[in-house]
């Protein structure tokens, strides 16, 4: 199928579906499905990929506190 493109996502639990391209994700937990491409992933608790292969432009970063919304 085709790729879904998203700019920035800020949330508590973010789940990116198969073949999603996202610029920046900020969340408590992030779940990535097969074929996801993420430029920047910042999370406070957990990054889940399961057995799926996701791609990162920059390494994911676990932080103590997320930046204030809006970014």
């Amino acid at each position: 199928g085709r790729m879904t493109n998203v700019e920035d996502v800020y949330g508590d639990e973010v789940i990116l579906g198969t073949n999603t391209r996202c610029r920046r994700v900020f969340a408590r937990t992030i779940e990535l499905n097969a074929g996801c491409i993420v430029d920047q992933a910042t999370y406070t608790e957990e990054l889940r990929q399961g057995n799926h292969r996701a791609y990162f432009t920059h390494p994911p970063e676990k932080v103590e506190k997320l930046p204030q919304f809006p970014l």
Side-chain angles (χ1 to χ4, degrees):
R2 296 172 18 128
M3 181 159 281
T4 301
N5 290 300
V6 180
E7 285 294 318
D8 295 340
V9 177
Y10 193 106
D12 183 54
E13 182 176 3
V14 174
I15 301 170
L16 298 180
T18 303
N19 296 327
T20 299
R21 167 105 197 197
C22 187
R23 193 169 78 97
R24 300 187 303 172
V25 180
F26 298 90
R28 180 179 53 82
T29 62
I30 301 171
E31 181 178 327
L32 304 173
N33 286 291
C36 286
I37 301 171
V38 179
D39 292 338
Q40 178 183 351
T42 305
Y43 63 99
T44 58
E45 287 187 19
E46 185 178 17
L47 176 66
R48 296 188 297 255
Q49 297 181 68
N51 295 328
H52 308 295
R53 178 76 173 150
Y55 303 92
F56 299 94
T57 305
H58 302 287
E61 182 179 15
K62 185 173 184 177
V63 297
E64 292 292 320
K65 186 176 178 183
L66 296 174
Q68 288 287 5
F69 182 83
L71 305 170

